[in-house]
Amino acid sequence: MQVRQFLLVGMLCALSYFGWAQSALTGTITGTVRAASGGVLPGIHIRLDSLNKATVTEADGGFRFSNLTPGTYVLTGSGVSFITNRQTVSVRAGETSTCVLMLNEAVQTVDEVAVTGQATTQDIRKRAFAVEAIDALPLQNRNVDMNRLLDRTMGVQVRETGGMGSDFTYSIQGLSGKAVKFFIDGVPMESFGSSYRINNVPINLVDRIEVYKGVVPVELAGDALGGAVNLITRRDVASYLDASYSIGSFGTHRGALSGRWRQAKTGFTTNAHLFYNASKNNYPVWGRTIEIAGPDGRPLPDVGRLRRFNDDYQSANARLEVGFTNVRWADRLLLALTVTDLERGIQTGRTMAFVYGEVRYRERLVMPSLTFAKKDLFIRGLNVDAFASLNSLQGTTVDTSSRKYNWRGEVIASNVRGELGGIRAQRSLYTFDDRTALAGVNFAYQPADGHRFILNALHNQTRRTGSDALAIADWTIPFRLPQQLSKQIMGLSYELNLLDARLTNTVFVKYYRYAAQANAYDYNGGAQRELLINRQQQGVWGFGLASTYQLHPRTRLKLSAESATRLPDALELLGDGNTILNAPGLQPEQSMNANASVQYRLSRTNSSWNIASGLFFRHTNNLIWLGEADLFGTARYENLNRIQTLGVETEVQYRYRNWLRLTANATYQDIRNKLRYTAAGAPNHVFNDRLRNTPYLLANAEISLTKADLFWKGALASCYVGTHYVPEYFLGWPSLGAKATKRVIPTQFVQDIGAEFTAPNRRYVVGVDCRNLLDQQVYDNYLLQKPGRFISLKVRYFLSQSSSSNVK
């Protein structure tokens, strides 16, 4: 470890020396963008016409271009609802030139809005990290949830256990589960509960989605091992009102209401977000394990399609923020209160062989929080972002029924003692109460042009207590006593720009520490079961680098690598109180991740091509993995040693004018078990096998058409067709058992279509979507069928103080 630290310090010193030497030979442009009617303008796209360089103004309207060769440059500023303007600026060696760029308000055309929406995502893709950026603004009129949207992203797979509100896991380039972390505006979402998860956040609230693969920058404070998803909320308008409602198959309803009001004189700001999701989830299921017993106890043949009957879901979320934005002493100071409420039925265990008729789950969350951000705090070039929250999360699993059900919803026994646990079922009314403290701070300091330091620290502590009002079920015994998990993560990075910012290098170190106490109820070498308390703590260092080089105005090369650690989270370590058991002995997982890619962009007068292709490598120890279900429908997380991944991914995007867009991507991942010998020293029979229960190929494609001035001048109509493909893969290890008897997750080949119409004033939108058009039997997990054909209708109203054109 000392050798690694010395190497890292040496790299930092060498890069600093070369960077400081270069800065004396170049100049800098800094400026502010203001509206002609007064006030600074954040989110404006600024471009240097003679160079392939662009940026976006920050909260105070400021921007900066560094490491510029002395000479004369033309700045171009453009933004939604503003007329494009240009200004000439002269640059001298070793000096900083300042300017103020004024923009006049105007109602933008459809073409201008679409181009502006792409500018920010293109800037994100130019970062040295392996990152995808999804512009959410053109998708806000679709009835699409985040899981389905991200499942179409190159290198990403989202696996769901059922319909709305079901459990899901993300896989990014082969690493899955909790190895992928979720953020909203840079704040970790892992302690926000089941209701305020990424899949429930309305797309209307989101400006863009950033997907980091493998290597994650330190400013996203967390122990992500395989990647991270960061939702960036809308900040493009000062005041607005956005309301939408959709209704769909299987009794599905989604409603969202959000708004912002800001007083220009004082900067006082109020943000409010309300969203509601509900579904009966009574979609048909059929085939294997959907069985009905006859009078003789044997399964009846040809029972046909049967509907899920205890899978309903509803959640309500409310968030209110009050404070100040874009004032002299703070860019953002907001006090928020988040309240969520969730209730759902539990229809099955880990497979559909276990069917439950009355098991319920309820959850409540109350979370006050505070965020603060300030650019140039105390000294020029020092930016700070900080947040803190305290939450109370309470979840209750109700399993008090004396009846047992079959797949028709019929009572087949009336003398059981609860439904969970099969033959060992015992009635329970288990409630857990989590108290979580979350705090983080991010410092970004730019002492000179081309140099930037980032220091980030995060503290996350969860204490869980439990109770069972019935106190009958043995399985709740370890959950009744306190369990706790504490994590601290720190990161430091240094970024250096060279060769007129065509070459960007970032090196970083991270430190992970955790302490945990978990309980188990098991045999301890004797004949009687007893309560066992497991305590563990550990500290681990990680390090990495990321580089990008603009080889040609159309071509960019990227390389990134990281030695990463991921700590067990509360669900994995402590269980969920129903179908996932606790795992007191779980160890942190570690992985060496590397990515190399090339991006090519070709723009013509009427068309453009974006082509990206990359290679990725992962070598993972102690992979945290949800084991196979037992005979009672429960499972627990476990560690798998020495998993190696090699893969390749490619995506092609084509755009013709503003009426045709085509996207196609494919990811091949070869994930294998590289453990030669077991812990006992015996040869490992599954050495070099593909990782079980994991697909090796993912493919997606979509074509969309847009027509302006349809029926009425100023109206806008669009439609799309998309497809998704995953070939068949084995549930278990491929080398074990005969192929004819292996359990498989079948091939998935699903098509989606949709259309939307925007009124001439751009305030009213109506959209129709159909998922799984051909009503295929689809699975992401073994014997857990997902919904078939799903049709929905969405209506939306958007009103902005500046311009209604922001709706598209």
Side-chain angles (χ1 to χ4, degrees):
M1 182 54 66
Q2 290 181 347
V3 174
R4 293 177 179 176
Q5 292 176 351
F6 283 130
L7 287 175
L8 179 61
V9 172
M11 291 173 63
L12 288 172
C13 293
L15 291 172
S16 298
Y17 173 79
F18 289 116
W20 284 102
Q22 184 200 32
S23 62
L25 303 177
T26 60
T28 300
I29 296 176
T30 63
T32 304
V33 179
R34 293 182 174 274
S37 58
V40 298
L41 296 176
I44 297 298
H45 182 58
I46 306 296
R47 182 184 300 276
L48 284 176
D49 288 353
S50 58
L51 299 176
N52 189 20
K53 299 182 69 173
T55 188
V56 175
T57 58
E58 299 187 12
D60 61 351
F63 65 91
R64 172 189 291 261
F65 290 101
S66 305
N67 297 326
L68 300 176
T69 303
T72 301
Y73 296 87
V74 177
L75 292 171
T76 299
S78 61
V80 175
S81 75
F82 289 93
I83 297 176
T84 300
N85 191 18
R86 292 177 174 83
Q87 185 169 328
T88 302
V89 181
S90 297
V91 174
R92 297 180 180 178
E95 297 183 4
T96 299
S97 302
T98 60
C99 66
V100 177
L101 184 62
M102 307 296 291
L103 296 184
N104 291 309
E105 294 183 79
V107 177
Q108 296 280 34
T109 66
V110 177
D111 295 359
E112 290 169 325
V113 175
V115 172
T116 302
Q118 289 295 319
T120 300
T121 57
Q122 290 295 339
D123 293 339
I124 296 299
R125 294 190 184 105
K126 292 177 182 177
R127 297 196 64 183
F129 299 88
V131 57
E132 294 289 332
I134 303 172
D135 183 15
L137 293 181
L139 304 172
Q140 290 182 346
N141 299 328
R142 293 189 189 179
N143 185 27
V144 59
D145 56 56
M146 295 295 176
N147 281 357
R148 193 160 299 273
L149 175 62
L150 290 168
D151 193 36
R152 305 308 192 247
T153 303
M154 179 175 62
V156 179
Q157 185 195 24
V158 184
R159 300 174 66 172
E160 298 176 311
T161 61
M164 175 183 284
S166 64
D167 295 332
F168 60 85
T169 58
Y170 273 63
S171 173
I172 297 181
Q173 292 183 340
L175 288 176
S176 60
K178 304 296 181 177
V180 179
K181 297 296 183 180
F182 301 96
F183 302 81
I184 183 165
D185 291 327
V187 177
M189 298 180 66
E190 58 189 276
S191 61
F192 287 10
S194 301
S195 183
Y196 207 97
R197 295 188 299 179
I198 183 174
N199 197 39
N200 284 342
V201 176
I203 195 171
N204 299 17
L205 303 183
V206 179
D207 178 79
R208 70 179 185 273
I209 307 168
E210 301 171 358
V211 181
Y212 291 89
K213 304 176 183 180
V215 183
V216 179
V218 298
E219 54 263 37
L220 289 183
D223 54 338
L225 188 81
V229 178
N230 187 24
L231 305 181
I232 307 299
T233 58
R234 298 196 62 168
R235 296 179 186 172
D236 55 337
V237 285
S239 299
Y240 74 92
L241 176 66
D242 192 339
S244 66
Y245 191 84
S246 66
I247 184 171
S249 305
F250 318 125
T252 301
H253 299 265
R254 288 180 179 269
L257 177 64
S258 62
R260 175 184 299 127
W261 178 79
R262 182 180 185 273
Q263 188 180 49
K265 183 177 181 180
T266 64
F268 180 76
T269 303
T270 300
N271 297 318
H273 308 298
L274 302 170
F275 45 101
Y276 173 78
N277 300 286
S279 179
K280 293 181 181 179
N281 278 330
N282 58 345
Y283 58 89
V285 290
W286 64 94
R288 191 176 174 187
T289 74
I290 309 302
E291 298 175 344
I292 303 295
D296 58 356
R298 297 181 180 180
L300 296 174
D302 301 326
V303 295
R305 298 190 176 203
L306 301 174
R307 289 186 175 271
R308 299 170 75 101
F309 57 92
N310 185 39
D311 200 25
D312 59 291
Y313 173 86
Q314 60 179 346
S315 66
N317 302 267
R319 181 176 176 87
L320 177 65
E321 294 179 316
V322 293
F324 296 88
T325 58
N326 298 329
V327 293
R328 180 181 57 82
W329 44 271
D331 298 332
R332 186 169 66 255
L333 177 63
L334 295 171
L335 178 65
L337 178 64
T338 303
V339 179
T340 72
D341 184 276
L342 176 150
E343 181 172 353
R344 65 184 179 95
I346 299 177
Q347 179 73 81
T348 70
R350 305 309 302 176
T351 71
M352 294 193 299
F354 300 89
V355 56
Y356 311 131
E358 296 185 33
V359 181
R360 309 290 296 176
Y361 177 71
R362 301 165 185 162
E363 186 178 285
R364 311 287 186 271
L365 170 74
V366 177
M367 182 178 70
S369 60
L370 180 68
T371 60
F372 172 78
K374 180 67 175 73
K375 180 183 177 182
D376 296 329
L377 180 69
F378 304 133
I379 60 174
R380 183 173 181 82
L382 177 61
N383 303 339
V384 61
D385 286 270
F387 64 88
S389 66
L390 293 171
N391 77 38
S392 173
L393 176 66
Q394 186 179 84
T396 301
T397 301
V398 181
D399 183 24
T400 58
S401 175
S402 60
R403 295 184 290 267
K404 182 176 178 59
Y405 293 80
N406 64 15
W407 265 109
R408 283 181 179 158
E410 301 168 338
V411 176
I412 57 175
S414 58
N415 57 351
V416 300
R417 300 172 299 171
E419 298 179 86
L420 296 175
I423 60 174
R424 67 180 181 188
Q426 295 172 300
R427 290 191 184 93
S428 62
L429 189 59
Y430 171 70
T431 298
F432 71 85
D433 197 340
D434 284 357
R435 296 284 193 268
T436 300
L438 181 67
V441 62
N442 187 84
F443 295 99
Y445 179 53
Q446 187 170 345
D449 296 338
H451 304 265
R452 189 170 69 144
F453 294 88
I454 296 178
L455 175 64
N456 194 290
L458 175 71
H459 173 78
N460 189 345
Q461 182 170 348
T462 299
R463 176 179 172 83
R464 172 174 293 185
T465 56
S467 63
D468 186 353
L470 300 181
I472 297 176
D474 290 343
W475 70 266
T476 67
I477 291 177
F479 295 101
R480 298 177 203 167
L481 295 181
Q483 303 183 90
Q484 57 188 7
L485 176 65
S486 175
K487 299 194 291 187
Q488 293 81 37
I489 302 165
M490 298 188 66
L492 174 65
S493 72
Y494 170 61
E495 179 182 298
L496 173 66
N497 294 324
L498 299 170
L499 305 178
D500 293 332
R502 289 189 296 119
L503 174 63
T504 300
N505 297 301
T506 302
V507 292
F508 59 87
V509 292
K510 297 179 181 180
Y511 179 71
Y512 314 85
R513 182 186 180 278
Y514 89 109
Q517 174 183 309
N519 307 322
Y521 189 58
D522 209 342
Y523 300 98
N524 190 24
Q528 298 293 326
R529 300 178 72 183
E530 57 181 294
L531 184 68
L532 307 176
I533 299 177
N534 183 289
R535 296 183 178 91
Q536 54 181 296
Q537 60 181 2
Q538 191 169 349
V540 183
W541 286 90
F543 58 93
L545 60 89
S547 296
T548 180
Y549 179 63
Q550 189 74 42
L551 180 65
H552 181 272
R554 299 174 183 171
T555 308
R556 177 177 294 272
L557 305 178
K558 288 187 177 186
L559 176 66
S560 59
E562 178 182 15
S563 174
T565 296
R566 209 266 298 178
L567 310 176
D569 74 353
L571 174 66
E572 295 166 329
L573 198 67
L574 310 180
D576 67 353
N578 46 66
T579 62
I580 298 178
L581 307 177
N582 60 354
L586 208 58
Q587 297 295 313
E589 58 183 352
Q590 296 178 298
S591 183
M592 174 59 73
N593 303 330
N595 287 77
S597 63
V598 57
Q599 297 175 341
Y600 178 79
R601 178 178 176 84
L602 176 62
S603 297
R604 300 296 188 187
T605 303
N606 295 321
S607 64
S608 65
W609 289 89
N610 282 282
I611 302 173
S613 186
L615 303 172
F616 54 91
F617 169 81
R618 311 282 185 262
H619 186 82
T620 309
N621 290 319
N622 289 328
L623 177 70
I624 298 177
W625 182 266
L626 183 62
E628 292 188 43
D630 58 20
L631 296 176
F632 309 104
T634 59
R636 63 162 41 93
Y637 284 90
E638 58 189 33
N639 289 116
L640 293 177
N641 280 322
R642 298 187 185 176
I643 303 299
Q644 181 175 289
T645 301
L646 290 172
V648 60
E649 60 182 17
T650 300
E651 181 172 70
V652 177
Q653 298 179 351
Y654 173 73
R655 177 176 175 178
Y656 183 74
R657 294 188 173 177
N658 286 305
W659 66 267
L660 172 65
R661 293 185 183 182
L662 174 65
T663 301
N665 62 61
T667 303
Y668 174 80
Q669 49 194 27
D670 187 32
I671 311 174
R672 295 189 179 269
N673 187 334
K674 291 297 182 178
L675 184 66
R676 286 185 177 271
Y677 300 97
T678 67
N684 183 9
H685 295 298
V686 294
F687 169 72
N688 213 37
D689 265 18
R690 288 189 185 274
L691 184 62
R692 60 183 178 86
N693 197 22
T694 303
Y696 62 88
L697 180 64
L698 313 169
N700 305 280
E702 180 180 295
I703 182 171
S704 62
L705 305 172
T706 302
K707 172 64 176 175
D709 300 326
L710 183 66
F711 303 129
W712 294 277
K713 184 175 178 57
L716 189 69
S718 64
C719 64
Y720 71 92
V721 177
T723 187
H724 176 66
Y725 174 75
V726 179
E728 173 186 281
Y729 53 96
F730 295 120
L731 175 67
W733 296 106
S735 65
L736 299 181
K739 184 175 182 180
T741 61
K742 288 183 185 295
R743 294 176 291 179
V744 300
I745 291 85
T747 297
Q748 312 294 296
F749 187 44
V750 181
Q751 290 73 41
D752 302 332
I753 63 171
E756 61 194 50
F757 178 80
T758 304
N761 60 11
R762 305 293 169 82
R763 295 182 182 179
Y764 304 96
V765 182
V766 177
V768 178
D769 296 88
C770 178
R771 302 199 298 257
N772 194 355
L773 175 65
L774 302 180
D775 198 25
Q776 299 290 312
Q777 189 177 35
V778 289
Y779 297 88
D780 285 336
N781 297 275
Y782 181 67
L783 295 182
L784 286 174
Q785 187 176 336
K786 296 172 57 180
R789 183 184 297 114
F790 180 91
I791 302 174
S792 63
L793 171 70
K794 179 178 179 178
V795 294
R796 182 181 177 214
Y797 174 80
F798 184 89
L799 177 64
S800 167
Q801 186 181 54
S802 57
S803 172
S804 61
S805 65
N806 292 311
V807 73
K808 188 65 180 175

